[in-house]
Amino acid sequence: MNAMTKEVTRIALIGSGFVGASYAFALLNQGIASELVIIDKNGQKAEGDAMDLSHGLPFAPSMRIWAGDYADCKDADLVVITAGANQAPGETRLDLIGKNARIFESIVADVMKSGFQGIFVVATNPVDVLTYATWKYSGLPAQQVIGSGTILDSARLKYLLGEYFQLDSRNVHAYVMGEHGDTELPVWSNTSIGGRSLHDYREQYGKPTQEELDRIFGNVRDAAYHIIERKGATYYGIAMGLARLTKAILWNENSILSVSALLTGQYGLDGVYIGVPAVINRAGIREVVELKLSDDEMRKLHASADVLKKAIHAMMK
């Protein structure tokens, strides 16, 4: 891709709602890209956000920000999609499939018409299913189509484990895998606290107990429901996760992040986008990392994949 050698990095953000605007704000504060074009069906909202963000430029790294249209995607390194219907109270992420699949078919067609050859990042729920749809609708190689997957779930797990151990969450290494939704699973077998495996820690101290671990993970899995109940939507955490993923791509970091990636035999699964640790760089997904899972974890991952495959089949039909 020509984008590999470009000095100017352009991100096209499609959808300027809560998540999109929060992501744009995170990009500006962290100086991740040199250009940001905001595209929204509500053109005035996109213009207002572009103006508001631009007024912060005297306090931030240099960035060109404007409200544009799909033609601006042609020279984009990244198209990030946050557009779509939001999860309502009591609604699961999978309940959104019908509404958002139709929206995505139109969005991806318009992006590809521009001549875009960069990387898609999908954040709209149900993210695994819609990332699969983006891959199919776009015709791009799977490595160039990435979903935010369980990047936020893994961050929530790290945060809560950090709180439990009274340690900086950046010294906690833990992954949530599977669907970004109700069938996701914590990978306790590969969790480490400051370099010590969770298994060793529990053997020495007798804690956290299984009951405590179940409670911690329950709060991770159900976090979105708790937040939606209190404030109507979740957006800051996922915006930070998207900014982190964007940086790993544009800065060619070879970082391992838990994203929604297409599996082609890894973990004994094929033809499904699902949350797994993957190496992320300028080409997109360099490779999926295959962790050694416990039998129970592998069973849960396959059960989660079955749920997603049924949802994908129903959507594409």
Side-chain angles (χ1 to χ4, degrees):
M1 295 190 309
N2 291 336
M4 300 281 283
T5 55
K6 279 204 306 192
E7 288 183 9
V8 174
T9 49
R10 176 182 297 183
I11 297 168
L13 168 63
I14 300 175
S16 193
F18 285 129
V19 173
S22 300
Y23 167 64
F25 188 57
L27 288 177
L28 176 60
N29 276 288
Q30 296 181 43
I32 294 172
S34 45
E35 293 187 346
L36 172 65
V37 53
I38 303 173
I39 303 165
D40 196 282
K41 65 177 182 180
N42 181 345
Q44 285 200 309
K45 172 67 166 70
E47 283 180 11
D49 277 332
M51 291 167 68
D52 199 5
L53 289 161
S54 296
H55 297 162
L57 280 168
F59 314 116
S62 176
M63 192 183 213
R64 180 179 166 229
I65 307 165
W66 73 100
D69 55 35
Y70 287 104
D72 292 307
C73 296
K74 181 179 186 299
D75 296 321
D77 301 277
L78 228 61
V79 165
V80 179
I81 309 179
T82 64
N86 290 325
Q87 193 176 347
E91 192 173 38
T92 70
R93 295 177 180 96
L94 289 176
D95 290 334
L96 298 171
I97 290 176
K99 300 180 205 172
N100 284 334
R102 288 186 293 277
I103 294 170
F104 263 60
E105 191 166 11
S106 166
I107 287 173
V108 174
D110 285 338
V111 170
M112 296 311 293
K113 258 186 244 168
S114 76
F116 174 70
Q117 286 298 311
I119 294 169
F120 272 107
V121 171
V122 179
T124 308
N125 282 317
V127 69
D128 306 287
V129 180
L130 291 174
T131 307
Y132 182 95
T134 301
W135 170 56
K136 282 294 186 185
Y137 296 151
S138 70
L140 289 173
Q143 71 178 39
Q144 288 173 234
V145 183
I146 310 171
S148 54
T150 50
I151 197 168
L152 177 57
D153 311 274
S154 296
R156 286 167 171 159
L157 183 59
K158 291 175 189 178
Y159 166 73
L160 290 174
L161 286 171
E163 288 281 288
Y164 179 89
F165 288 104
Q166 295 188 297
L167 287 171
D168 184 340
S169 57
R170 290 171 298 184
N171 295 128
V172 175
H173 292 279
Y175 294 113
V176 172
M177 289 174 61
E179 173 206 359
H180 174 52
D182 296 341
T183 64
E184 65 188 31
L185 60 133
V187 187
W188 299 128
S189 64
N190 284 264
T191 297
S192 65
I193 316 296
R196 297 181 63 190
S197 76
L198 180 64
H199 174 76
D200 290 349
Y201 207 101
R202 293 182 71 199
E203 274 206 331
Q204 183 171 352
Y205 298 105
K207 49 196 271 190
T209 64
Q210 191 57 50
E211 188 182 342
E212 287 173 317
L213 289 178
D214 291 343
R215 178 180 52 76
I216 287 170
F217 176 64
N219 284 329
V220 169
R221 184 194 57 223
D222 300 334
Y225 298 125
H226 297 157
I227 294 168
I228 289 167
E229 193 182 318
R230 287 161 174 78
K231 58 176 261 186
T234 74
Y235 36 94
Y236 296 133
I238 186 57
M240 293 289 284
L242 287 171
R244 177 71 194 90
L245 175 54
T246 299
K247 191 193 287 187
I249 295 167
L250 294 183
W251 295 11
N252 199 33
E253 286 186 345
N254 291 304
S255 291
I256 298 176
L257 299 169
S258 53
V259 296
S260 190
L262 181 72
L263 296 190
T264 54
Q266 302 93 335
Y267 297 102
L269 294 167
D270 189 53
V272 63
Y273 264 88
I274 195 166
V276 288
V279 181
I280 306 296
N281 65 16
R282 201 63 181 76
I285 296 173
R286 193 188 85 189
E287 65 184 278
V288 169
V289 177
E290 282 198 78
L291 302 177
K292 187 176 180 186
L293 303 181
S294 71
D295 291 344
D296 184 53
E297 288 163 351
M298 187 66 89
R299 181 185 58 76
K300 286 177 177 173
L301 182 63
H302 276 246
S304 188
D306 285 343
V307 168
L308 288 174
K309 280 186 171 181
K310 282 177 189 156
I312 286 167
H313 179 71
M315 176 189 66
M316 297 311 286
K317 192 169 68 174

